């Protein structure tokens, strides 16, 4: 009577691919020669486990084995006896159980992923063959978080959708899935503020997922620009008002209208500072920067001789 590959892996004949992989994973680690030095029976068991996995993990080999047993699998089956595409040649196990083990776990160190889970510098055993090691985390993934000045002024909640590779339950395959990350924007967050979501990057059997980092960036604004905790506003005024004074009307980020009297002569480079009308200071409730008004003096394009004469009399 031939080998019962299902019995070797402690499976039923209805076992699916995930169950076959799970069984091999468990038994191969348990009976690996490096874990059982000097135990010849365990070494033979390790080879039988590899052969059973080699057959049952291959749909063609498994189909022939299920119908004709080990004798039919290894002796070959006439093509007329099986469905098209099935295994018809005699099967011979190559005998390299270690090769199957390494291909299954990946890399040159098949025990790495298990001992990398230990948060420390623990020796890995198994005769010391594989030394020490820890999983390497992927490089952080950085993304801009573009915010309107109103969002930073008032604070808000942002929902960020990401797509990442996630390991399936079998521990070997993966799929792309979407996830929503929630960011609570605090009042006054400055450009360059970093919001980190630990280990939300792509998952893999032998890596620590990357952190995803969102970096605050100001969106352009129709009225203001931000410098530190101050808001900069540019007022356009004609030359006459620059010389004689005027009132500047500003619509604030919280939808108030404030009027700032300008009594000085507005010259190139002149600014007017309004205390407490800037951005909130993060972490300091009630504290705000200043509103700084810059001026764009509008010179007349043409001027009549009479007006030129009047200006000469007034200024000279």
């Amino acid at each position: 009577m031939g080998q019962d590959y299902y019995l070797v892996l402690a499976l039923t004949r209805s076992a699916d691919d995930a169950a076959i992989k799970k069984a091999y994973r468990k038994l191969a680690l348990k009976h690996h020669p490096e874990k059982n030095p000097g135990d010849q029976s365990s070494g033979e068991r390790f080879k039988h486990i590899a052969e059973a996995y080699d057959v049952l993990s291959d749909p063609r080999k498994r189909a022939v084995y299920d119908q004709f047993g080990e004798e039919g699998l290894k002796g070959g089956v006439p093509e007329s006896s099986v469905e098209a595409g099935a295994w018809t040649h005699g099967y011979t196990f190559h005998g390299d159980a270690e090769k199957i083990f390494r291909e299954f776990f990946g890399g040159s160190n098949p025990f790495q992923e298990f001992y990398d889970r230990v948060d420390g510098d623990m020796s890995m055993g198994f005769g010391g063959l594989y030394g020490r090691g820890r999983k390497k985390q992927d490089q952080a993934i950085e993304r801009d978080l573009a915010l309107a000045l109103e969002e930073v002024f008032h604070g808000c909640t942002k929902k960020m959708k990401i797509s990442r590779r996630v390991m399936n339950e079998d521990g070997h395959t993966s799929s792309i899935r979407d996830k929503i990350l929630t960011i609570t924007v605090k009042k006054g967050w400055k450009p360059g503020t970093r919001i980190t979501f630990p280990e939300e990057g792509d998952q893999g059997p032998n890596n620590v997922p990357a952190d995803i980092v969102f970096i605050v960036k100001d969106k352009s604004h129709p009225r203001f620009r931000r410098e530190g905790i101050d808001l900069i506003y540019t007022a356009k005024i004609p030359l006459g008002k620059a010389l004689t004074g005027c009132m500047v009307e500003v619509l604030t980020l919280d939808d108030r209208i404030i009027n700032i009297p300008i009594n000085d002569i507005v010259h190139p480079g002149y600014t007017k500072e309004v205390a407490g009308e800037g951005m909130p200071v993060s972490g300091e409730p009630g504290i705000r920067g200043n509103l700084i008004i810059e001026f764009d003096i509008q010179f007349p394009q043409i001027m009549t001789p009479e007006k030129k004469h009047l200006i000469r009399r007034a200024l000279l």
Side-chain angles (χ1 to χ4, degrees), residues 46 91 106 109 125 167 172 244-245 303:
F46 181 68
Y91 164 76
N109 186 346
M167 294 301 296
H172 306 292
T244 60
M303 186 175 290

Side-chain angles (χ1 to χ4, degrees), residues 55-70:
V55 172
L56 298 183
S57 63
D58 185 308
R60 294 191 306 155
K61 297 175 190 173
R62 182 179 179 182
V64 174
Y65 174 74
D66 285 347
Q67 187 172 357
F68 299 100
E70 184 186 13

Side-chain angles (χ1 to χ4, degrees), residues 229-244:
I229 60 173
D230 297 329
L231 286 174
I232 313 300
Y233 178 84
T234 299
K236 294 183 178 182
I237 61 172
L239 177 61
K241 290 186 176 181
L243 297 174
T244 60

Side-chain angles (χ1 to χ4, degrees), residues 51-90:
E51 181 176 344
Y53 176 74
D54 189 48
V55 172
L56 298 183
S57 63
D58 185 308
R60 294 191 306 155
K61 297 175 190 173
R62 182 179 179 182
V64 174
Y65 174 74
D66 285 347
Q67 187 172 357
F68 299 100
E70 184 186 13
E71 291 183 5
L73 177 69
K74 293 184 175 180
V77 178
E79 292 189 15
S80 60
S81 301
V82 293
E83 296 180 0
W87 185 276
T88 58
H89 304 292

Side-chain angles (χ1 to χ4, degrees), residues 31 42-52 93 95-97 100:
H31 293 283
S42 186
E44 289 300 317
R45 172 79 166 150
F46 181 68
K47 290 181 181 179
H48 290 314
I49 291 167
E51 181 176 344
F93 180 54
D96 192 346
I100 289 178

Side-chain angles (χ1 to χ4, degrees), residues 153-220:
F153 185 88
H154 294 287
C156 65
T157 299
K158 304 290 285 187
K159 302 286 187 179
M160 309 300 292
K161 181 179 177 180
I162 63 169
S163 295
R164 59 175 187 159
R165 186 169 295 281
V166 177
M167 294 301 296
N168 296 326
E169 293 182 359
D170 62 14
H172 306 292
T173 60
S174 61
S175 55
I176 300 297
R177 299 180 191 173
D178 293 335
K179 184 173 183 178
I180 302 297
L181 302 179
T182 302
I183 301 174
T184 302
V185 177
K186 304 296 185 182
K187 293 182 179 181
W189 269 3
K190 295 180 180 180
T193 299
R194 299 169 69 88
I195 306 96
T196 301
F197 290 87
E199 300 183 15
E200 289 290 357
D202 289 341
Q203 297 178 357
N206 298 307
N207 74 304
V208 176
D211 295 341
I212 294 183
V213 181
F214 291 94
I215 303 174
V216 172
K217 179 182 179 182
D218 285 346
K219 290 182 180 179
S220 61

Side-chain angles (χ1 to χ4, degrees), residues 27 166 238 298:
L27 293 172
V166 177
Q298 306 292 299

